[in-house]
Amino acid sequence: MFSCPFLTTQINIMNLQKATRKKVKLRLNIASPSGFGKTYSALLIAFGLTGSWEKIAVIDTENDSASLYAHLGNFQTLRLDPPYSAERYIDAIRICEKAGMEVIIIDSITHFWKGQGGILEYQISMGGRYQDWAKATPLYQKWLNAILHSSCHIITTNRKKQGYNMITVGNKTKVEKAGLEDEIRSGYEYEMSLAFEIINENHMAKASKDRTGLFADKPEFLITADTGKQILQWCIDGEP
């Protein structure tokens, strides 16, 4: 007897429902050139979120640089060495989650993008052609999903580098500075709830993306633990 699969498959019915503000876990990125204080700022925000150094873990790809701030408190570190593959980052996140951490700092995600064993190296190993992104992009998305769907607050950091444009005028070509470029895939910060840029060596920050409404169009500021407390109130202001 012929059986139609459509008769036996359960159909998910779509319904409209009233929009409600729910409690959320923070997804924050901090970007700056090297030496501007990304790690230190991330730790201060994390402490403001938790009030407990013991509930903070740093996934450290920067040669144990987070341990330079051990005087702040007894936070945990997990050193991540090459290869900087999606799977190793995801494994590190899972270890922190299972250990009961409340905030995970990934310092930094730049190594996943352009480090040894990272996604650019993987794409090149596949041939380096545009169509080879069809193989690399699913790995990037898997890595991104581990961040977006984590049960912890997550703060990521990435480096910025000076970008340049080649300008041709008549028969002459010159190089002009084009601002700072993120050393991570374009569009990453738009997946975040909040994105800060540290803009100078005095550690002054500004929001480049802000779904919280706390920092948009505000003057440059210095990140402190109180910044984390502000953000926490936004995270918990909603239904479970």
Side-chain angles (χ1 to χ4, degrees):
M1 182 177 179
F2 176 75
S3 175
C4 177
F6 298 108
L7 297 178
T8 57
T9 301
Q10 183 177 0
I11 299 175
N12 292 321
I13 299 174
M14 295 181 289
N15 292 307
L16 286 170
Q17 58 183 353
K18 180 182 177 181
T20 56
R21 173 73 162 82
K22 293 181 172 60
K23 299 180 189 295
V24 296
K25 294 295 185 179
L26 178 66
R27 302 293 179 258
L28 166 66
N29 186 60
I30 303 175
S32 80
S34 295
F36 277 28
K38 293 186 294 296
T39 307
Y40 184 72
S41 297
L43 284 165
L44 293 179
I45 292 174
F47 181 66
L49 286 168
T50 64
S52 171
W53 289 107
E54 288 79 9
K55 292 296 184 179
I56 299 168
V58 182
I59 298 172
D60 190 340
T61 69
E62 302 280 355
N63 298 312
D64 288 329
S65 64
S67 296
L68 296 174
Y69 305 110
H71 63 281
L72 291 175
N74 296 323
F75 59 89
Q76 304 291 310
T77 64
L78 190 161
R79 176 167 174 151
L80 187 62
D81 293 314
Y84 299 112
S85 63
E87 290 77 9
R88 283 174 54 76
Y89 270 89
I90 293 169
D91 287 346
I93 291 170
R94 298 289 178 256
I95 289 170
C96 296
E97 290 171 340
K98 290 177 180 177
M101 297 294 106
E102 292 182 9
V103 183
I104 301 172
I105 299 171
I106 307 177
D107 185 36
S108 71
I109 57 173
T110 292
H111 293 81
F112 168 69
W113 182 244
K114 59 178 295 186
Q116 181 183 339
I119 201 72
L120 287 181
E121 187 174 284
Y122 175 79
Q123 190 262 352
I124 291 170
S125 73
M126 293 293 101
R129 302 160 299 177
Y130 178 80
Q131 56 264 38
D132 293 315
W133 279 109
K135 303 169 185 174
T137 294
L139 287 177
Y140 174 86
Q141 193 61 50
K142 183 178 179 181
W143 168 84
L144 179 61
N145 286 341
I147 292 173
L148 297 180
H149 300 153
S150 175
S151 58
C152 304
H153 298 293
I154 291 194
I155 302 171
T156 61
T157 72
N158 73 268
R159 299 175 184 174
K160 296 178 80 75
K161 66 176 182 179
Q162 183 66 59
Y164 297 91
N165 287 330
M166 301 290 289
I167 307 296
T168 301
V169 180
N171 295 325
K172 295 183 178 180
T173 300
K174 61 180 181 178
V175 178
E176 290 186 351
K177 289 185 178 181
L180 296 173
E181 298 176 349
D182 288 315
E183 293 190 277
I184 188 60
R185 188 170 186 168
S186 176
Y188 171 77
E189 75 169 26
Y190 296 106
E191 302 287 350
M192 301 289 101
S193 310
L194 187 60
F196 289 147
E197 292 183 13
I198 302 177
I199 59 176
N200 57 37
E201 293 177 343
N202 295 322
H203 315 305
M204 299 302 288
K206 66 177 183 180
S208 56
K209 155 72 181 299
D210 184 10
R211 286 180 178 160
T212 71
L214 297 171
F215 306 96
D217 303 321
K218 298 290 177 64
E220 298 158 5
F221 65 97
L222 188 66
I223 291 173
T224 67
D226 285 338
T227 309
K229 292 178 182 178
Q230 275 187 280
I231 297 170
L232 177 63
Q233 288 304 309
W234 177 82
C235 290
I236 64 177
D237 182 18
E239 298 180 4

